[in-house]
Amino acid sequence: MNTEAVTVITIDGPSSSGKGTVARLLAGRLGWRYLDSGALYRTVAVAALAEGVSLDAEDRLADIAKALDIQFRDSDGDQHVFLEDRCIDAEIRAETTGDAASQVARHAAVREALLGRQRQFAESPGLVADGRDMGTVVFPHARHKFYLTASADERAMRRHKQLNEKGIGVSLPALAKDIAERDLRDSSRATAPLRPADDAVTIDSTELSAVEVVAQILSHLADAGIVAVGKKT
Ligand code: DC
């Protein structure tokens, strides 16, 4: 599939900026495919930890990424991740996995191994892709690029609330520290660092709900003629 022929919307941003929720909602509203690229890095991390592979072993991690038997399955209005036919939703969302994924994602060979897999998600009529380098590296020709931010305090509070709702107790300062470390690692790495594409629209969601962010994006898309003005898709 020629990814340039498919309408791609990219949503990049730091950890817990809400980009996953926004991208999922938007894909649902448009009836388009959704790529959660972070889930790929998280799944490589889960597989590596299960096999006892060091998060510094670039070549072995790249081999895992190349051979990854991962499937995204939609059910109950949600996307579920399967590794070798086993649902790993809970494992990939753990804080420790997020941290391990950020370490795995530093390696150029791992990123290269996942590139083609990510581009295969581009299918007609369109794709909404979220991550760190969707607009800069994976889909540089995407028609519409967004960069979602929120203050570090707000992101830590959102993540804290999410974890509390799952019954996972984590201290807010410890969470804020982890998020700051991941931000630094993701934005300072040599390959495909987190940064807005030059042609991305930045949306600060500190004071906005996910639904309000989706409304802003839809309004940009309406201006561009991708969705009809006033039409609820
Ligand atoms: O979006 P997320 O929190 O699920 O991503 C987990 C980690 O994976 C993140 O800390 C950095 C890495 N990642 C990446 O480097 N590039 C992407 N496109 C998506 C995620």
Side-chain angles (χ1 to χ4, degrees):
M1 162 76 60
N2 173 7
T3 60
E4 290 179 43
V6 176
T7 306
V8 177
I9 296 172
T10 59
I11 305 181
D12 288 305
S15 302
S16 302
S17 56
K19 60 193 185 317
T21 308
V22 165
R24 228 181 351 260
L25 282 172
L26 183 66
R29 287 285 293 274
L30 297 170
W32 290 6
R33 244 185 137 188
Y34 166 53
L35 166 62
D36 171 5
S37 63
L40 290 172
Y41 290 95
R42 286 171 182 263
T43 303
V44 173
V46 165
L49 293 173
E51 291 177 32
V53 172
S54 158
L55 301 179
D56 292 325
E58 177 160 7
D59 291 348
R60 290 194 64 196
L61 293 170
D63 287 343
I64 290 176
K66 276 181 217 150
L68 204 64
D69 177 8
I70 181 176
Q71 281 188 334
F72 292 94
R73 297 185 195 159
D74 293 324
S75 74
D76 319 322
D78 228 332
Q79 194 169 71
H80 305 279
V81 181
F82 287 75
L83 174 62
E84 289 164 6
D85 243 9
R86 184 172 65 86
C87 180
I88 56 165
D89 286 350
E91 268 168 272
I92 62 165
R93 295 300 154 209
E95 282 305 291
T96 45
T97 308
D99 185 64
S102 166
Q103 294 188 56
V104 160
R106 285 172 298 157
H107 302 297
V110 173
R111 306 197 72 84
E112 177 64 31
L114 293 177
L115 205 51
R117 213 184 264 269
Q118 294 173 84
R119 289 185 175 149
Q120 277 169 7
F121 276 77
E123 271 181 12
S124 192
L127 172 72
V128 180
D130 92 66
R132 303 291 187 290
D133 61 342
M134 296 296 99
T136 50
V137 175
V138 181
F139 300 109
H141 304 291
R143 196 93 74 79
H144 301 281
K145 300 179 184 177
F146 296 91
Y147 188 81
L148 196 55
T149 60
S151 72
D153 283 351
E154 175 64 21
R155 289 187 286 122
M157 272 183 309
R158 285 179 191 169
R159 188 72 188 129
H160 192 247
K161 185 163 170 271
Q162 260 178 3
L163 291 172
N164 271 344
E165 281 165 5
K166 287 190 202 160
I168 303 170
V170 187
S171 89
L172 188 57
L175 205 53
K177 185 169 165 279
D178 283 356
I179 288 180
E181 277 173 16
R182 271 174 66 189
D183 282 356
L184 181 65
R185 196 184 300 121
D186 293 346
S187 53
S188 61
R189 67 183 175 222
T191 311
L194 167 69
R195 66 168 181 82
D198 292 340
D199 48 350
V201 172
T202 295
I203 299 178
D204 185 339
S205 75
T206 307
E207 307 279 339
L208 300 174
S209 69
V211 169
E212 287 169 328
V213 175
V214 171
Q216 281 203 13
I217 292 179
L218 284 171
S219 143
H220 281 282
L221 299 180
D223 290 346
I226 298 287
V227 294
V229 183
K231 184 184 155 205
K232 288 237 187 257
T233 47

